[in-house]
Amino acid sequence: MAEMLAGRLHVAERALRMESVPVPEPGRGQVRIRVAAAGVCLSDVHLIDGTLTPLYLGGDVVTLGHEVAGTVDALGDGVTGCQPGQRVLLQAGERDRFGLVLTRGVDYDGGWAEYALAREDTLVPVPDLLPFEQACIIPDAVSTPWAAVTETARVRPAEAAAVWGVGGLGAHAVQLLLLVGAAPVIAVDPLPAARDRAVALGADVALDPADDGFKDAVLELVGTRGLDVAFDFAGVNAVREQAMTVLGRHGRLVLAGIANQPVSIPSDSRFTYNRQAVLGHYGSEAEHVGQLVTLTGLGRLDLSASVSDVLPLADAPEAVRRVHDKEGNPIRLILRP
């Protein structure tokens, strides 16, 4: 039986091991993908360090990787909608027959491997001009902030928006806010390199949240009306508290980062008088991925700056370390089998 290299998380030990495992055979309705690129997400790091735990994994070991792109390699019985050699990316998850959402690389084997299995309806065709290294990150790093901007926050043109945390998700949020016409777009991050990157990506200004003049700087940009929408991509309580101080009438605070902490409103009278809202956000839907493939394919969205580095699959542990340590302040590191 042919074997392949895979990055396997042993959940009980919280150990990532690069192992040789059998090349999987597609079952009915499944497609085998020859993986060309797979993203390394902070969620992968949290699965390894124990911050996150798979909820629906049937066993104790899983191949990581929920951001995956490659070519169709083999078809299972009943598959008619694709052909070997076709370029595709994989949705980050799927619904089971009971409607439960399962996440690739968490609840079932993902794409940190030479080959991966996918249900036919989770494949999205990729244009020839879109590199796999960019395509693979669309199903999470790009689609999560896109859904936050367009679906949860429903940002409208000329609305004032700020993004706290300009990392793997927040950096894309800056670009996507510009795409829908938000103005001004303010980036907020304690790291100078992240602020410089945000400006390079098009943010109107990038601010240090620790600056004593932070609130005045925001209000100077947006006027006394305050922000229309604030995004927390950092998952930090202090971010939420700071955002509330500059949120305007009908302002929305969108929680896209997870802090696992209570959310407090400093003044219910001000909050209710201004008709503000706190909105939770998680992930995206299949249609958001399709929208982004269209936008990138037509050149409306450039993801070339998102690929911070490409490493061999065998170096997955090193990639995890670099993401954990924020070495080089990466947007996304990519594994290539």
Side-chain angles (χ1 to χ4, degrees), residues 226-262:
L227 291 174
D228 295 299
V229 60
F231 294 90
D232 169 23
F233 283 101
V236 177
N237 261 345
V239 163
R240 294 146 184 201
E241 294 169 1
Q242 186 175 58
M244 291 294 292
T245 68
V246 288
L247 205 60
R249 188 164 176 80
H250 298 290
R252 293 93 73 200
L253 170 59
V254 178
L255 308 183
I258 299 174
N260 286 321
Q261 297 291 326

Side-chain angles (χ1 to χ4, degrees), residues 228-314:
D228 295 299
V229 60
F231 294 90
D232 169 23
F233 283 101
V236 177
N237 261 345
V239 163
R240 294 146 184 201
E241 294 169 1
Q242 186 175 58
M244 291 294 292
T245 68
V246 288
L247 205 60
R249 188 164 176 80
H250 298 290
R252 293 93 73 200
L253 170 59
V254 178
L255 308 183
I258 299 174
N260 286 321
Q261 297 291 326
V263 178
S264 60
I265 297 170
S267 169
D268 61 348
S269 58
R270 182 178 184 276
F271 184 82
T272 55
Y273 177 77
N274 285 318
R275 300 184 182 182
Q276 295 170 339
V278 178
L279 304 170
H281 179 78
Y282 183 82
S284 62
E285 299 295 333
E287 61 264 27
H288 297 122
V289 173
Q291 292 163 3
L292 289 163
V293 169
T294 298
L295 290 168
T296 52
L298 291 174
R300 303 291 197 274
L301 179 62
D302 182 3
L303 298 177
S304 58
S306 300
V307 180
S308 303
D309 200 0
V310 180
L311 292 81
L313 173 62

Side-chain angles (χ1 to χ4, degrees), residues 2 19 44 60 66 68 75 83 104 107 238 241 263 279 315:
E19 300 176 338
D44 298 312
D60 188 47
H66 56 274
V68 189
L75 310 180
Q83 297 295 327
R104 188 183 311 279
D107 301 309
E241 294 169 1
V263 178
L279 304 170
D315 290 348

Side-chain angles (χ1 to χ4, degrees), residues 138-158:
I138 289 176
D140 181 18
V142 191
S143 67
T144 293
W146 177 246
V149 167
T150 62
E151 189 77 19
T152 299
R154 297 188 179 275
V155 176
R156 297 182 293 274

Side-chain angles (χ1 to χ4, degrees), residues 74-85:
L75 310 180
D77 290 342
V79 174
T80 59
C82 59
Q83 297 295 327

Side-chain angles (χ1 to χ4, degrees), residues 71-149:
T71 54
V72 173
D73 181 69
L75 310 180
D77 290 342
V79 174
T80 59
C82 59
Q83 297 295 327
Q86 186 173 353
R87 304 174 85 251
V88 296
L89 60 78
L90 310 185
Q91 296 282 3
E94 61 186 45
R95 292 185 184 274
D96 68 7
R97 59 195 181 93
F98 302 108
L100 189 67
V101 177
L102 305 177
T103 302
R104 188 183 311 279
V106 180
D107 301 309
Y108 62 100
D109 285 343
W112 287 12
E114 295 178 74
Y115 295 91
L117 295 182
R119 212 167 64 190
E120 181 185 11
D121 61 351
T122 65
L123 271 58
V124 180
V126 172
D128 290 342
L129 295 180
L130 180 60
F132 286 123
E133 292 79 9
Q134 296 175 33
C136 74
I137 66 173
I138 289 176
D140 181 18
V142 191
S143 67
T144 293
W146 177 246
V149 167

